[in-house]
Amino acid sequence: MIRTWRLDDRRQSLVLGSRREHLAEVIYWGPRLPDEEDLEALYGAVAIDVTGGMLDLNPELSICPEATRSFPGQPGLILRHQNGEPLLPKFCFEAAEEAPERLVLTYRDETNALTYTARFQIDDQTHMIEAQARLDCEEPLHLHWFSAPVFPAPQLSDEMIDFAGRWCGEFQMNRTPWSPGVRFRENRTGRTGHEHFPGLIVPARGATNARGDAYAFHYGWSGGHKMIAEELPDGRRQIQWGHAARMETKAQKSFETATLYAMYSDDGLNGCAIAFQRHLRDRIVTWPKPGTPRPVHYNCWEAVYFNHNLAELKDIAARAAALGAERFVLDDGWFGDRDDDTRALSDWEVDARKYPEGLTPLIDHVHGLGMSFGIWFEPEMINPESNVFRKHPDWALGGEDQILGRNQMALDMSSPEVRDFLFERIGAVLSHNEIDYIKWDHNRVLPMPDAAQTRGSYALLDRLRTAFPLVEIESCASGGGRIDFGILSRTQRVWLSDSNDALERLKIQHNAAIFLPGAVTGSHVGPRICHTSGRVLDIRFRAWVAAQRHMGFEMDPRELTEEETKVLTEVTAWWKANRDWMYTADILRLDSPDPAVIAEEQLAEGGGRFVVFAGKADTSRQIAPRPLPLARLSPEALYRIELVNRDDAPGLSRGSPLLKAGPVILSGRYLMSHGLTLPWSFPETMWVIEGVRL
Ligand code: DGJ
């Protein structure tokens, strides 16, 4: 018997089919099909031929490929009995539950007493498909690998784009040509990691940021993941995503993958980016105070590090407020005897040497300046040099002889006792002080991957959020080491990178925008001499790069000259005046003809206005600036374009491009096909252009 199902939004259709009671396979995924499409005919048409050297039928590339069905590639599920013997599942159809935007398929393996369930959900507004798989067993079993429902990848695609990175260099794009065999990315560090952001884009041949077809994936899990992108001998391609292999350390009777987010875009990589940005902001993140503007942030880390002095911090807070800051975050160093990073993690009590009257005098001062107050924790960690470790050495995860990371160990978050302790200590700090923000850090990898650890962290976050629903949380892990939709369903901001170098940041946030909206992406104005790169950057560039996202400051404001103070105050005021519409704007990465220019357009909901940030990351090869084509404007509409910071043009810009003189009115068609011709500029500077539809 043939069965077919379809899920549609206005831009895409996902069609699944199954024969002979076998597991379903995705038989079509791409542009929206007509309602009248005969899906049985389509299923027949999709079948590939058989020739010499092939089996007599092609095994289906199902949502969970099974070795028992002669599938020639990587299976979707690898299990063992408790005695270590392999168990080879073979599923048969049991039930389908269909609703317009939702499909749940259940399959049963009677011999092995297993039930497999795949859930698909499509969002008509954001174009996101969510897919998740679950396995129920009658006997506890060992799980080695379990893929979320498997999607095919297009064959008209020459390469795939995935993401690598490092501390202070997150979200680097890798382009790998497709070839027969497997591209395998696995993160065994126990946290999402700088090194392997769980995202993949499969562009069809010729796709750019603004044009063409592209497919994109993100696995929403914070514990380390595995991706398999495989081209089979017959040319078909499959994409699998799941937790890293063998992360379940105990035999269990049920297993669940995290949610896989996937979508097709007919609008280039930007079509994928918009779907991820909107879905994350509007469906995944839960905002403690919806509708309130994102406050300008001040974080004291790079100003004082562990050297907390109340009078100095008060002075810094006052200066930050004068610049325009609306939230003050007290970073690492306020608890235990934490004078450096060798000690005190987990001793979550205010250091009476630094704060003899507790945090209240600082918090009151900060509130008096009109700012809210946030505080740093690193809940999952413990230093062997701490009171808590001396009392509970058994709370640490991993062996005694393990290699430390930043002098610390992870706590065993699967232990309810550990979680209760953390809930009580963090809860006490939040209850006794007026705090409405936590920066939640995680500065080392785990000694081994363990899914129970991640579930424990999620449980603690969930419990704290229930008890303190108005507290916002920022996910930080030495910068961008824990950024994914799993953690972001429990937090509201990410510390994208420890690099406050505006040049590095420009690149990192440009690529991260494929997945992250501005509303959740922290970006701070760093010190004049960057602490992580040694680079010296002008305040204008530092300020505008921070103004591209959720703006903040992290330098010591006492270092600012009068001129720097003036520039920073002005750019901050610009950000405040624009943040409301930028909150819901789409960030579109522009196809810059000059590789030295990294540019984006933030287009307001409804398309009535936009801002372009064109960052000059390098010197150009050619002498004059190349025109920069904009994206997603209305071709027939006219736009009033203005170079916001035209006064920044250097003396070496000797000509008279119109934008240097004042606003210009141009059509969407011209702006998208020819592009904006900007004045000549130095490297490490930014042009900011506002546009309003007339
Ligand atoms: C790493 C973070 O990324 C920094 O911003 C800072 O919070 C330090 N940890 C504090 O130890």
Side-chain angles (χ1 to χ4, degrees):
M1 160 155 194
I2 292 184
R3 292 190 171 82
T4 55
W5 302 273
R6 65 184 283 175
L7 286 166
D8 306 280
D9 62 26
R10 279 158 298 144
R11 131 172 141 185
Q12 70 188 323
S13 296
L14 178 75
V15 184
L16 292 106
S18 80
R19 283 201 177 91
R20 295 175 290 154
E21 308 301 310
H22 288 194
L23 277 172
E25 57 184 324
V26 174
I27 55 175
Y28 173 85
W29 185 26
R32 172 75 149 92
L33 296 172
D35 289 344
E36 309 72 46
E37 190 83 49
D38 177 341
L39 299 184
E40 275 197 29
L42 184 147
Y43 201 177
V46 123
I48 49 176
D49 202 357
V50 169
T51 181
M54 292 174 87
L55 293 174
D56 298 339
L57 265 182
N58 286 301
E60 46 285 270
L61 197 176
S62 80
I63 51 176
C64 185
E66 299 148 293
T68 43
R69 305 276 190 203
S70 310
F71 183 69
Q74 299 294 312
L77 174 62
I78 304 178
L79 286 165
R80 279 182 194 273
H81 290 286
Q82 285 193 71
N83 65 8
E85 270 177 32
L87 182 156
L88 294 174
K90 186 152 119 185
F91 291 104
C92 286
F93 180 79
E94 186 161 274
E97 196 189 306
E98 270 182 282
E101 293 186 347
R102 193 179 150 78
L103 174 66
V104 181
L105 298 174
T106 310
Y107 292 83
R108 181 86 189 136
D109 175 340
E110 287 301 346
T111 318
N112 294 300
L114 302 174
T115 305
Y116 169 87
T117 312
R119 176 186 69 80
F120 298 87
Q121 179 120 7
I122 194 163
D123 190 310
D124 193 42
Q125 301 298 313
T126 65
H127 305 300
M128 186 66 78
I129 298 170
E130 294 188 0
Q132 193 179 21
R134 183 186 163 90
L135 184 74
D136 291 286
C137 335
E138 273 158 37
E139 292 299 317
L141 295 173
H142 287 293
L143 182 73
H144 286 229
W145 167 239
F146 189 24
S147 174
V150 174
F151 284 78
Q155 297 192 34
L156 184 63
S157 165
D158 298 323
E159 60 178 12
M160 56 191 118
I161 304 172
D162 54 28
F163 296 82
R166 58 166 162 81
W167 179 70
C168 288
E170 292 83 349
F171 285 93
Q172 300 173 22
M173 276 163 113
N174 282 321
R175 289 177 184 265
T176 313
W178 279 100
S179 62
V182 175
R183 173 151 173 89
F184 181 91
R185 295 285 307 266
E186 187 168 25
N187 170 3
R188 301 201 62 78
T189 66
R191 65 174 187 186
T192 326
H194 300 79
E195 306 83 5
H196 308 270
F197 174 77
L200 173 72
I201 297 169
V202 185
R205 185 176 301 154
T208 65
N209 287 321
R211 289 197 187 85
D213 287 359
Y215 295 77
F217 303 86
H218 167 66
Y219 189 65
W221 167 248
S222 316
H225 50 272
K226 174 164 134 178
M227 177 199 90
I228 294 171
E230 181 175 30
E231 179 169 303
L232 301 175
D234 59 36
R236 288 178 297 172
R237 292 165 172 178
Q238 66 156 333
I239 307 291
Q240 297 191 5
W241 282 97
H243 291 14
R246 300 177 302 284
M247 267 192 107
E248 297 294 354
T249 53
K250 298 193 176 80
Q252 284 168 211
K253 286 167 92 173
S254 72
F255 303 97
E256 233 174 13
T257 70
T259 303
L260 174 64
Y261 299 88
M263 104 281 302
Y264 156 76
S265 155
D266 59 0
D267 200 11
L269 270 59
N270 283 335
C272 305
I274 291 172
F276 280 124
Q277 291 169 21
R278 291 183 187 173
H279 197 76
L280 180 67
R281 185 190 60 224
D282 302 339
R283 304 283 192 270
I284 308 274
V285 174
T286 47
W287 300 97
K289 297 171 196 158
T292 52
R294 307 299 282 140
V296 176
H297 207 94
Y298 178 79
N299 181 296
C300 68
W301 177 239
E302 293 202 354
V304 299
Y305 293 102
F306 298 101
N307 190 14
H308 290 207
N309 171 293
L310 185 58
E312 274 190 60
L313 284 167
K314 282 183 171 177
D315 179 26
I316 287 172
R319 289 167 190 261
L323 291 166
E326 297 160 310
R327 172 190 282 152
F328 179 92
V329 180
L330 185 66
D331 211 283
D332 196 354
W334 58 268
F335 53 91
D337 59 351
R338 181 85 168 162
D339 294 338
D340 56 33
D341 66 10
T342 62
R343 60 190 59 247
L345 284 176
S346 79
D347 292 343
W348 300 117
E349 275 152 352
V350 178
D351 181 350
R353 298 169 310 156
K354 295 176 185 167
Y355 298 96
E357 295 168 61
L359 294 173
T360 310
L362 181 59
I363 296 179
D364 285 351
H365 176 77
V366 164
H367 286 165
L369 293 163
M371 291 190 285
S372 59
F373 189 87
I375 197 161
W376 182 93
F377 283 100
E378 196 178 358
E380 293 123 318
M381 298 294 157
I382 188 162
N383 286 115
E385 192 54 44
S386 67
N387 294 335
V388 174
F389 186 84
R390 282 184 278 272
K391 209 163 153 205
H392 301 284
D394 54 314
W395 282 5
L397 185 73
E400 268 173 45
D401 59 348
Q402 67 178 279
I403 304 174
L404 300 184
R406 206 193 189 200
N407 311 300
Q408 65 202 50
M409 292 164 121
L411 285 165
D412 179 0
M413 296 300 293
S414 70
S415 151
E417 195 190 358
V418 169
R419 293 203 300 268
D420 286 349
F421 160 78
L422 290 169
F423 178 79
E424 183 264 307
R425 284 291 167 95
I426 298 171
V429 175
L430 296 182
S431 310
H432 298 138
N433 297 284
E434 269 186 73
I435 293 177
D436 62 9
Y437 189 84
I438 293 178
K439 178 177 177 186
W440 185 298
D441 213 335
H442 189 293
N443 283 304
R444 62 156 291 168
V445 298
L446 299 187
M448 72 293 227
D450 181 354
Q453 178 76 5
T454 308
R455 285 193 288 267
S457 296
Y458 284 173
L460 176 64
L461 273 157
D462 292 345
R463 192 169 161 199
L464 282 164
R465 291 202 63 217
T466 307
F468 302 95
L470 295 181
V471 174
E472 185 172 323
I473 304 178
E474 171 177 22
S475 173
C476 171
S478 303
R482 184 154 62 178
I483 298 178
D484 60 82
F485 284 20
I487 202 75
L488 274 161
S489 64
R490 298 165 169 91
T491 55
Q492 293 80 18
R493 191 183 203 246
V494 293
W495 185 225
L496 190 60
S497 178
D498 268 355
S499 176
N500 281 317
D501 175 325
L503 186 59
E504 302 293 341
R505 199 76 180 196
L506 177 75
K507 299 176 192 166
I508 299 169
Q509 60 195 25
H510 187 67
N511 290 346
I514 295 176
F515 301 93
L516 305 176
V520 305
T521 312
S523 194
H524 296 174
V525 180
R528 190 180 310 122
I529 306 178
C530 175
H531 292 186
T532 54
S533 68
R535 216 174 250 135
V536 180
L537 293 166
D538 184 77
I539 189 69
R540 288 167 191 77
F541 187 52
R542 283 183 277 148
W544 282 118
V545 169
Q548 288 183 275
R549 299 292 183 268
H550 179 191
M551 188 174 191
F553 320 135
E554 192 162 333
M555 90 304 277
D556 186 337
R558 294 171 298 183
E559 78 164 31
L560 295 172
T561 62
E562 225 172 276
E563 159 77 353
E564 287 171 332
T565 304
K566 180 171 171 292
V567 171
L568 188 49
T569 313
E570 282 169 9
V571 175
T572 306
W574 179 92
W575 189 79
K576 283 184 180 173
N578 287 279
R579 64 179 156 192
D580 284 350
W581 72 265
M582 280 167 68
Y583 175 86
T584 48
D586 295 322
I587 304 174
L588 309 171
R589 299 162 77 252
L590 296 176
D591 290 312
S592 168
D594 180 350
V597 175
I598 297 178
E600 70 182 31
E601 173 186 321
Q602 299 199 15
L603 181 62
E605 208 176 359
R609 65 190 299 176
F610 63 81
V611 58
V612 170
F613 294 99
K616 186 91 174 277
D618 207 342
T619 38
S620 301
R621 286 171 68 102
Q622 79 291 345
I623 197 153
R626 294 189 195 277
L628 176 66
L630 305 191
R632 286 175 79 102
L633 303 180
S634 310
E636 303 303 328
L638 293 176
Y639 293 83
R640 182 177 180 277
I641 309 291
E642 181 160 16
L643 188 57
V644 176
N645 55 342
R646 58 176 179 272
D647 294 344
D648 294 349
L652 272 177
S653 157
R654 300 188 299 132
S656 38
L658 265 188
L659 276 174
K660 261 170 76 177
V664 186
I665 294 178
L666 293 163
S667 72
R669 176 142 5 246
Y670 170 83
L671 290 167
M672 290 191 291
S673 55
H674 181 273
L676 271 177
T677 308
L678 292 163
W680 190 92
S681 60
F682 286 137
E684 297 163 3
T685 59
M686 173 91 85
W687 284 129
V688 183
I689 305 103
E690 283 177 344
V692 177
R693 191 174 58 202
L694 299 176

